[in-house]
Amino acid sequence: MVLDKLGSTLRKGVTRIGNAIFLDKKLLDSIVKDIQKALIEADVDIELIFELTQKIKKLGLDENIKGIDKKEQLVTLIHDEIMNILGGEAKELQLKKKTKIMFIGLYGAGKTTNIAKIGFYYAKRGRKVCAIGLDTDRPAAMDQLEQMCEKAKIPCFVDKKEKDPLKIYESYKKDLDKYDLVLVDTAGRDGLNKELIAQIEKIDKKVKADLRLLVLPADVGQTAKTQATEFQKALSIDGVIITRMDGTSKGGGALTACAESKAPVYFIGVGEQIHEIETFNPRNFVNRLLGMGDLASLLEKVKSATDEKQAKRIEERLKEGKFTLRDLAGQLEQMNQLGSMDKLLSMVPGMGGAAAKIPKSELEKQEKKMSQWKSAISSMTEYEIENPESLEKQTSRIARIAKGSGTTTTEIRALLKQYKLLKEMMNMQNPEKLASGQIDKKMMQKIAKQMKGKVKF
Ligand SMILES: Nc1nc2c(ncn2[C@@H]2O[C@H](COP(=O)(O)OP(=O)(O)OP(=O)(O)O)[C@@H](O)[C@H]2O)c(=O)[nH]1
Ligand SMILES: [Mg+2]
């Protein structure tokens, strides 16, 4: 997927918001910092990033909004703001029954390739498409268009000898009338200069294109703003195709820059193959970046990851400095609802990073162990649950619990060991520090090591 780094950071941010027990300033700062870094890497304008993250912080720190409401509003804000900087609500490219599209852009932007891609795209959707080559500047331009159109299986009109694009057009005019979508290839330049403007205007006077689409490569990043604005001023373009989104991390910059210069992006190129083109719609794009079909299902996920009562309870427990097997069981329960071990780890502030380093097979093994531990806990007496230390060296009690829960004494001991470790962790941290995700590094390493199975249970 394009912009996958930005996507994974945003998904992580949203997940951390959903899973957070304490959504405080430190946690928020750390999420905002990650989002900022990812947006900078995607080459998004620093001012846009600043505005966006200020909004997240302002809402995040608003004392009047609490709990799940705040989580929902934050996720909605991130979703909507990213969608807005990508261009907001957008319409699909509207084609008339008969449409001529002229492709405009600098050298190597992707005009010729995208004529074939878009031709292929619309031909598949039932349009009668053809292409015409009017790039008489570059020697191999006609051959390239021919080859590309052959791949797309669309007819293509070229003249390898004629040097006047207007004459080429005139000679095929009657043929072109038979098609309902005509794609016009034009020559590029190193930069937008008077000569290119004059040439395009001259061709367009003849062709009378319904749409002029600017082709921009994604690797220009946010400088796309200058290009889009200049082309818009000089040639009144109707929209943009951003190509090579697959080969750069700067695509975010190109997309947001076009949105800023009010040039709608209609398509993005995501690979060299003929079918590797996608219609661009900011809403769908952001939904995909966030890893969800739509905002509603994203919010649903955030809601189901939130157990307000559980969070309150743990918060109180931590403040009291208490942590019993019941709390551990509660966490296991919540983890089971969420469905995976890494969620449990990310619920413990500061543990998200450790979870990411654990291989999946190991997590599955741990999940199985967790379910055994859960049945072990349910075979204990109230007193044992509240005071797990009382079980230490009590071989007969441990054997009873093992038997009652269909596990082994080794597993019960492992559970007690894990509990001790977690308790140690809780005790070592003051609650504020823990809430902000500042878990002692050594302790985190110790837990991560155990989870990795280096310490045998
Ligand atoms: N990876 C990748 N490569 C692309 C994409 N779109 C175009 N390209 C490549 O970009 C290069 C330039 O594309 P062209 O279509 O020749 O560009 P042009 O604008 O017609 O260039 P000129 O005719 O020289 O002005 C080619 O090697 C294409 O294969 C894309 O979406 N992804
Ligand atoms: Mg070309």
Side-chain angles (χ1 to χ4, degrees):
M1 188 189 145
V2 295
L3 294 183
D4 31 355
K5 188 122 187 271
L6 176 61
S8 79
T9 305
L10 291 174
R11 285 195 296 280
K12 231 181 265 164
V14 167
T15 309
R16 283 174 81 194
I17 291 171
N19 288 341
I21 295 174
F22 316 103
L23 197 55
D24 69 345
K25 186 169 180 308
K26 286 252 169 62
L27 180 61
L28 208 66
D29 278 347
S30 128
I31 294 170
V32 163
K33 223 164 135 191
D34 283 350
I35 294 180
Q36 279 175 337
K37 200 165 150 244
L39 286 167
I40 289 170
E41 274 173 29
D43 202 35
V44 175
D45 181 353
I46 205 85
E47 244 173 73
L48 284 181
I49 302 177
F50 183 72
E51 276 171 31
L52 166 72
T53 50
Q54 283 302 101
K55 283 182 191 165
I56 300 177
K57 275 194 195 171
K58 189 164 173 259
L59 173 61
L61 298 176
D62 190 336
E63 301 261 323
N64 298 319
I65 313 164
K66 288 203 162 52
I68 185 105
D69 282 344
K70 182 174 277 184
K71 290 184 176 187
E72 275 197 32
Q73 289 190 26
L74 270 175
V75 173
T76 308
L77 178 85
I78 293 174
H79 177 280
D80 291 355
E81 289 295 323
I82 301 271
M83 184 177 106
N84 282 338
I85 63 170
L86 288 172
E89 291 294 355
K91 276 189 274 166
E92 247 186 69
L93 190 62
Q94 299 295 318
L95 298 188
K96 293 190 284 189
K97 203 161 181 329
K98 270 191 177 288
T99 303
K100 280 181 224 151
I101 307 179
M102 188 152 78
F103 288 64
I104 303 167
L106 301 181
Y107 281 141
K111 299 177 290 297
T112 310
T113 317
N114 279 278
I115 286 196
K117 283 182 175 182
I118 287 180
F120 183 73
Y121 177 89
Y122 281 114
K124 275 198 141 189
R125 283 157 181 77
R127 294 243 169 195
K128 204 171 168 217
V129 192
C130 76
I132 176 161
L134 299 187
D135 177 358
T136 49
D137 294 10
R138 197 161 61 81
M142 298 290 174
D143 291 321
Q144 188 200 359
L145 182 66
E146 232 174 12
Q147 285 160 14
M148 295 298 305
C149 287
E150 204 170 299
K151 278 191 196 156
K153 298 192 173 59
I154 57 168
C156 156
F157 300 97
V158 294
D159 187 330
K160 294 175 191 173
K161 290 198 190 87
E162 180 55 62
K163 286 290 158 212
D164 181 354
L166 302 190
K167 282 194 182 146
I168 301 179
Y169 187 81
E170 192 56 44
S171 69
Y172 288 122
K173 207 165 175 302
K174 281 213 174 75
D175 298 289
L176 299 177
D177 282 343
K178 295 179 199 137
Y179 294 88
D180 49 34
L181 180 60
V182 179
L183 307 173
V184 184
D185 193 18
T186 65
R189 292 293 186 283
D190 277 333
L192 178 63
N193 55 26
K194 281 197 184 115
E195 196 208 341
L196 178 64
I197 297 171
Q199 188 182 46
I200 298 288
E201 289 298 7
K202 204 168 80 181
I203 294 177
D204 199 18
K205 223 170 153 192
K206 183 92 189 159
V207 171
K208 296 191 182 64
D210 301 284
L211 292 166
R212 303 179 186 202
L213 295 185
L214 172 65
V215 184
L216 281 177
D219 36 27
V220 300
Q222 54 179 298
T223 55
K225 190 174 171 183
T226 328
Q227 270 201 50
T229 313
E230 282 179 357
F231 270 90
Q232 237 172 353
K233 258 196 222 147
L235 290 162
S236 65
I237 54 160
D238 299 289
V240 179
I241 300 169
I242 296 187
T243 63
R244 299 210 285 269
M245 281 292 290
D246 53 309
T248 174
S249 60
K250 287 184 165 184
L255 288 169
T256 50
C258 289
E260 272 192 286
S261 54
K262 307 256 177 311
V265 177
Y266 288 119
F267 285 96
I268 53 174
V270 294
E272 288 202 58
Q273 302 301 314
I274 202 85
H275 63 275
E276 286 175 316
I277 189 161
E278 293 173 5
T279 50
F280 180 72
N281 171 295
R283 179 176 288 281
N284 297 345
F285 192 78
V286 75
N287 288 345
R288 251 170 58 190
L289 271 187
L290 289 174
M292 276 287 140
D294 55 41
L295 180 61
S297 48
L298 185 68
L299 288 178
E300 210 36 63
K301 196 175 169 196
V302 168
K303 267 192 240 168
S304 63
T306 305
D307 184 334
E308 298 269 298
K309 270 195 212 138
Q310 174 80 359
K312 267 244 121 31
R313 194 183 143 82
I314 293 179
E315 190 178 353
E316 267 150 31
R317 286 295 203 176
L318 288 177
K319 278 193 182 137
E320 289 166 21
K322 272 189 204 158
F323 186 76
T324 71
L325 273 179
R326 194 182 301 289
D327 299 307
L328 182 64
Q331 290 219 352
L332 298 184
E333 186 58 48
Q334 186 158 4
M335 182 207 77
N336 248 12
Q337 281 166 12
L338 293 170
S340 73
M341 176 70 200
D342 53 346
K343 293 274 167 46
L344 169 68
L345 288 177
S346 58
M347 265 168 50
V348 180
M351 283 299 287
K357 294 187 198 89
I358 304 171
K360 203 168 165 44
S361 60
E362 204 52 51
L363 286 174
E364 280 164 6
K365 242 193 263 169
Q366 295 296 346
E367 270 179 46
K368 197 172 154 221
K369 197 168 284 297
M370 290 289 172
S371 96
Q372 287 172 333
W373 289 357
K374 259 180 64 192
S375 29
I377 293 171
S378 60
S379 294
M380 290 179 191
T381 66
E382 277 300 302
Y383 181 78
E384 287 162 351
I385 291 173
E386 291 291 326
N387 304 282
E389 288 85 355
S390 69
L391 282 171
E392 276 174 36
K393 300 196 185 83
Q394 295 275 333
T395 326
S396 61
R397 281 192 177 193
I398 292 179
R400 187 208 82 227
I401 297 164
K403 204 166 167 224
S405 59
T407 54
T408 63
T409 54
T410 322
E411 262 148 28
I412 307 298
R413 286 186 208 282
L415 165 65
L416 293 174
K417 200 167 161 187
Q418 186 67 31
Y419 159 76
K420 239 179 124 176
L421 191 78
L422 272 172
K423 185 166 180 195
E424 209 182 309
M425 177 184 94
M426 303 294 181
N427 286 342
M428 268 182 68
Q429 307 290 328
N430 75 45
E432 270 95 65
K433 245 181 147 185
L434 189 64
S436 66
Q438 291 183 312
I439 284 184
D440 182 80
K441 251 211 174 114
K442 267 199 199 133
M443 185 54 68
M444 215 170 115
Q445 280 162 355
K446 202 168 163 188
I447 293 175
K449 216 169 165 185
Q450 272 226 0
M451 291 299 190
K452 270 183 185 158
K454 282 193 181 149
V455 176
K456 287 275 170 274
F457 293 113

